Amino acid sequence: MPGTHYDSDHFFIELLPFQYKRVAFRILRQDPFQILLRDLDAGYSEHFNIFPDPQSINSKLVTRTISACIVAKITSFSKESYVSPVEFRFVEEALFKALHNLLDIDGLPRKAVFDILSQEAPKTHHWLTKDKHDNGKHSLAIRSRRENTRRYFRYKVKIRYHFIRIGSHDSNKVIQGNIFTTGIQHFSKIVNNKLDGLVMEYLGNIKTALQERFPEAYDLFMDVLDKLEYLREVINGVSVGQLDIANAKRFLAENLDHHLDYASLARNARTESILRDFEEKLNQINRHTLELVEKSTPHTLYEGPVLKKLKIDQDIRGYVDKNKASPSELLSAFINLYHYILLIEKIYNSISSSNYIIIFPEYWLEPYKDLSPGGFAFYTEFLVDVNDILEIFMQVNVSPDPKVEKLEIIQQRVKVVRIEEKPEMECYLIACHFLMADEETRMVINNALQGQEIIDAFNSADLLDEAGEF
């Protein structure tokens, strides 16, 4: 398909000396358009640091190398990328600037330049002259592994996404459990570490704030934690099929019927009010989990609605800001409590509403690692297995006009090929390959990604008084 580095014009790269050619392919693998233009202006790229002797680097060859990469990059761009005419004109200007460094075309009229290109660099000539919708015939260049570039350059564009697990390529894998057991590990190592860390912080904060001066209030805050931990154990047991449904119903009902005793906070209405807001949210999750268990059957999962936001969800931002301005152990404990409840809520929503929220992109996720027309890598606290098959839903803006948003939904089946634990980010990186993506899907993704790559370069470009001679 168009828009790949295999199908772009590598003619000028092939003319480079071996070491410079090696650098060129490193640049193409790793650097976006914005960085290429920056490095051309600077006359250097960090990739030349692989040269054993810096004194041996030829500045003219550096310029030619970066310029050759710009030609290869631009001729990989689809003319259907979602950019405005002004932004596309910027791309053509960058192409001719690079060509000036590669060909003796100074002072020549445009027609003469095109004649030279038709002879010297026919792929570039074709890219410049082809119609926007002319995808033509495309060939794959065969190169040694040393020089090989990915077929698709990976980049990021603003999207929302959602995934559900639908099976596994591993024919021997059988999921044990009940209707709530989907194969997604909600209480993964990452999630449990995060919850345990919040518990430790919470215990330290309430101990400092309450244990000696307000022992009865301290007991109350411990009671809140007990209710939360109890709910965590029940949801975990249900999600992996280790807790039978009858006991799950009983435990959830008992937890819901256990009411907190606020007598110790009778003289502090503010603290009592905040804690009651937390109890309301805790009971909301408990109540809906009980409803989920009661209304589901062995063959049908009851899909309740995504939990609505409560008062504490609106107030928490103010508490965080206040705690930054004037730190308080008790306020910190409330914030610990909220983050704990929020993660339990996220798990509940994933179990009960994963299919339901497919039609509500506003509930989908945003942070991810990168995307290409061939695959997707995203971050999640929940764990799946290598070879699992997921259904990915993406919301992409396909409008070339920056003032108008035109959102399109892509649905694509993927196979999990790699999983990396990211302790510093408190999540997992899930890398996936697309399975039999159709041409239209790949084109939409390609046009969105390349459009964003062009827009990023355009927005970072020098103004007239900052730019060098052209």
Side-chain angles (χ1 to χ4, degrees), residues 37-252:
L37 298 184
R38 182 202 67 185
D39 289 350
L40 182 61
D41 288 340
Y44 194 74
S45 166
E46 63 180 18
H47 296 287
F48 287 98
N49 294 340
I50 67 170
F51 275 62
D53 179 13
Q55 300 300 320
S56 68
I57 300 175
N58 184 302
S59 60
K60 290 185 178 180
L61 283 174
V62 168
T63 298
R64 288 188 65 84
T65 301
I66 300 172
S67 297
C69 289
I70 290 174
V71 172
K73 168 70 76 172
I74 291 176
T75 53
S76 76
F77 288 155
S78 167
K79 287 194 171 182
E80 293 185 289
S81 298
Y82 305 136
V83 294
S84 67
V86 172
E87 289 157 344
F88 192 79
R89 194 180 80 196
F90 164 77
V91 173
E92 290 188 327
E93 289 175 356
L95 176 59
F96 277 101
K97 182 177 180 179
L99 290 171
H100 270 78
N101 295 323
L102 297 166
L103 296 170
D104 185 16
I105 57 176
D106 285 341
L108 293 179
R110 180 63 64 97
K111 184 180 183 305
V113 173
F114 273 64
D115 288 341
I116 292 174
L117 287 175
S118 67
Q119 298 298 317
E120 299 286 339
K123 279 193 173 183
T124 298
H125 179 267
H126 173 71
W127 187 89
L128 281 166
T129 57
K130 71 178 180 178
D131 181 77
K132 177 179 180 180
H133 304 293
D134 173 22
N135 291 329
K137 294 182 179 180
H138 308 280
S139 59
L140 296 181
I142 305 301
R143 307 187 190 93
S144 65
R145 186 172 181 82
R146 168 183 56 78
E147 296 177 341
N148 199 15
T149 57
R150 294 190 182 107
R151 182 173 184 188
Y152 304 112
F153 186 71
R154 299 176 185 178
Y155 204 64
K156 292 186 70 173
V157 64
K158 184 179 179 181
I159 63 169
R160 288 180 179 270
Y161 69 94
H162 177 63
F163 74 93
I164 57 175
R165 183 188 179 280
I166 59 174
S168 174
H169 261 190
D170 186 350
S171 58
N172 296 320
K173 182 178 179 180
V174 178
I175 297 177
Q176 302 294 331
N178 51 42
I179 189 65
F180 309 105
T181 309
T182 64
I184 297 176
Q185 299 175 39
H186 294 98
F187 288 90
S188 62
K189 176 184 174 183
I190 290 286
V191 169
N192 282 321
N193 285 346
K194 188 179 292 188
L195 290 172
D196 291 343
L198 289 168
V199 168
M200 294 304 295
E201 290 180 22
Y202 176 80
L203 289 173
N205 282 320
I206 63 170
K207 181 178 181 179
T208 303
L210 303 173
Q211 190 173 31
E212 292 187 5
R213 297 173 58 204
F214 308 101
E216 292 181 352
Y218 174 79
D219 291 340
L220 171 60
F221 276 78
M222 287 297 296
D223 200 12
V224 174
L225 180 61
D226 288 342
K227 285 194 68 169
L228 261 178
E229 288 280 73
Y230 196 73
L231 180 60
R232 170 186 175 181
E233 290 180 15
V234 174
I235 295 178
N236 185 25
V238 169
S239 70
V240 296
Q242 293 179 349
L243 181 63
D244 64 86
I245 302 304
N247 278 325
K249 292 178 183 178
R250 179 168 61 85
F251 294 154
L252 288 166

